[in-house]
């Protein structure tokens, strides 16, 4: 059983769980096949891990539901189909076991890289399919092309855990990133022009007439804003509220975004997500 996550793990799962309940209830009387896609699926359960400060979570001694089991337990109007993508062999085997325990449900476990599986899932969606996709990586695994493929379906609502802490570490404050990291940032943002704006010439002029090196402002909010702007270019609507998930030292680790892909459902979807993000 994996021990992973930090204090943010429980927080994000409560938000996702509340949304899945509300989403299926809202579409209860619609003629859609509802699909839940967990693209970084884990193994069904988790135990607070070493990343926790022990005192934060000492009340949790039991196993906790992961996102896949939370989705399977949505009750009022259950999902019709589940797609669990998990690259790690051991974890995908645990998901096979979970699928076996829920043999009455339609569950596919795909032991592969989410960035190669998701575009094909998107292409396979039928006219009456609607899906929620949860992108819950440990770090910077989600490529922009994958997010764009999700948005292009116009049938998917997407929760995205954007690893703002890891990305801030890839972006030195005092100079622009080295070439290898630039390539990674291009993959994550879908092009250099979408992230390099966080680097500016220093406001204070140097006494020395050399070409000033670029620097970025402190904090990670500006990086998260770049990604939100990017999401707004491809999705129908992005919830104006997002949630900054912090570690026990109060440093931002992830920004949890919600983006809606369907033109006629986007307003209500964003309203529901926004309500959950401000209330929970
Ligand atoms: C934060 S955990 C997911 C936790 C899960 N959502 C839960 O609530 O139980 C991230 C998972 O993504 C898997 N993973 C990492 N890179 C992947 C990739 N490229 N494609 C699919 N799965 C990946 C890891 O093995 C890990 O299990």
């Amino acid at each position: 059983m994996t021990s992973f996550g930090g204090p943010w793990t429980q927080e994000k799962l409560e938000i996702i769980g509340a949304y899945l309940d509300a989403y299926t209830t809202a579409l209860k009387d619609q003629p859609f096949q509802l699909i839940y896609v967990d693209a970084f699926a884990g193994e069904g359960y988790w135990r607070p891990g070493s990343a926790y400060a022990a005192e934060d979570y000492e009340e949790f001694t039991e196993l906790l539901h992961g996102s896949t089991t939370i989705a399977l337990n949505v009750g009022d109007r259950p999902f019709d189909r589940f797609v669990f993508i998990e690259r790690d062999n051991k974890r995908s085997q645990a998901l096979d076991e979970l699928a076996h325990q829920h043999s009455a449900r339609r569950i596919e476990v795909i032991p592969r890289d989410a960035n190669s599986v998701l575009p094909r899932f998107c292409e396979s969606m039928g006219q009456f399919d609607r899906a929620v996709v949860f992108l819950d990586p440990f770090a910077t695994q989600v490529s922009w092309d994958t997010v764009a493929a999700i948005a292009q379906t116009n049938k998917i609502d997407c929760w995205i855990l954007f690893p703002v802490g890891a990305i801030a570490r890839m972006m030195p404050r005092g100079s622009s990133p080295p070439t290898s990291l630039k390539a990674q940032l291009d993959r994550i943002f879908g092009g250099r022009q979408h992230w390099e704006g966080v680097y500016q010439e220093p406001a204070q002029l140097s006494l020395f007439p050399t070409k000033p090196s670029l620097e970025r402002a402190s904090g990670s909010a500006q990086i998260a804003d770049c990604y939100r702007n990017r999401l707004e270019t491809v999705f129908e609507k992005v919830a104006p509220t997002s949630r900054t998930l912090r570690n026990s030292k109060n440093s931002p680790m992830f920004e949890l975004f919600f983006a809606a892909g369907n033109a006629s459902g986007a307003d209500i979807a964003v309203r529901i997500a926004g309500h959950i993000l401000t209330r929970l």
Side-chain angles (χ1 to χ4, degrees):
M1 179 57 52
T2 308
S3 293
F4 63 74
W8 62 85
T9 303
Q10 186 69 1
E11 193 178 347
K12 77 181 174 192
L13 289 174
E14 280 174 16
I15 291 170
I16 301 304
Y19 184 78
L20 296 181
D21 258 326
Y23 173 88
T24 51
T25 302
L27 293 179
K28 199 172 173 172
D29 299 320
Q30 302 290 326
F32 297 127
Q33 166 172 250
L34 301 186
I35 310 169
Y36 173 71
V37 182
D38 207 317
F40 295 82
E43 54 191 294
Y45 298 89
W46 64 286
R47 210 188 280 283
S50 55
Y52 285 84
E55 68 271 17
D56 281 353
Y57 275 81
E58 61 194 3
E59 72 268 32
F60 292 133
T61 50
E62 83 282 31
L63 279 182
L64 302 174
H65 283 163
S67 48
T68 50
T69 43
I70 288 171
L72 281 164
N73 287 335
V74 167
D76 179 26
R77 192 297 193 195
F79 281 92
D80 300 300
R81 194 183 145 202
F82 300 83
V83 179
F84 297 157
I85 308 167
E86 171 54 58
R87 196 174 56 178
D88 179 86
N89 271 341
K90 263 184 134 167
R91 294 187 191 135
S92 71
Q93 280 164 20
L95 291 172
D96 284 335
E97 179 56 33
L98 186 69
H100 186 69
Q101 287 161 14
H102 292 84
S103 53
R105 317 296 291 276
R106 194 171 158 208
I107 304 172
E108 293 151 69
V109 177
I110 307 180
R112 307 246 321 274
D113 179 352
N115 289 301
S116 59
V117 174
L118 277 169
R120 254 177 287 142
F121 166 80
C122 290
E123 276 170 27
S124 74
M125 286 183 83
Q127 189 188 352
F128 291 100
D129 289 342
R130 293 288 181 273
V132 179
V133 171
F134 182 29
L135 299 175
D136 182 23
F138 278 140
T140 58
Q141 287 90 357
V142 177
S143 298
W144 179 257
D145 289 351
T146 306
V147 176
I150 290 170
Q152 269 159 23
T153 63
N154 301 320
K155 298 187 181 87
I156 297 178
D157 286 353
C158 193
W159 286 92
I160 306 168
L161 202 70
F162 179 67
V164 72
I167 290 176
R169 286 192 296 280
M170 292 164 69
M171 293 178 154
R173 295 263 327 273
S175 64
S176 69
T179 310
S180 61
L181 292 183
K182 278 183 176 161
Q184 278 211 56
L185 291 164
D186 293 349
R187 175 184 61 79
I188 295 162
F189 284 87
R192 193 149 305 176
Q193 67 277 28
H194 300 298
W195 62 264
E196 67 181 358
V198 301
Y199 284 95
Q200 306 282 335
E201 289 185 2
Q204 233 172 358
L205 282 178
S206 160
L207 292 175
F208 306 102
T210 50
K211 189 169 181 277
S213 67
L214 296 175
E215 58 181 38
R216 81 169 168 86
S218 67
S220 53
Q222 201 189 2
I223 300 172
D225 281 348
C226 272
Y227 201 71
R228 176 197 303 282
N229 293 341
R230 194 71 181 111
L231 292 173
E232 282 170 349
T233 64
V234 292
F235 280 95
E236 190 65 30
K237 220 164 192 175
V238 178
T241 312
S242 53
R243 174 70 60 91
T244 307
L245 302 171
R246 296 170 184 275
N247 65 13
S248 54
K249 296 193 179 95
N250 210 31
S251 302
M253 299 295 287
F254 293 96
E255 193 73 21
L256 182 62
F257 290 110
F258 175 78
N262 183 253
S264 50
D267 279 341
I268 172 95
V270 162
R271 217 170 26 245
I272 293 171
H275 183 67
I276 291 168
L277 280 162
T278 35
R279 222 198 45 214
L280 274 185

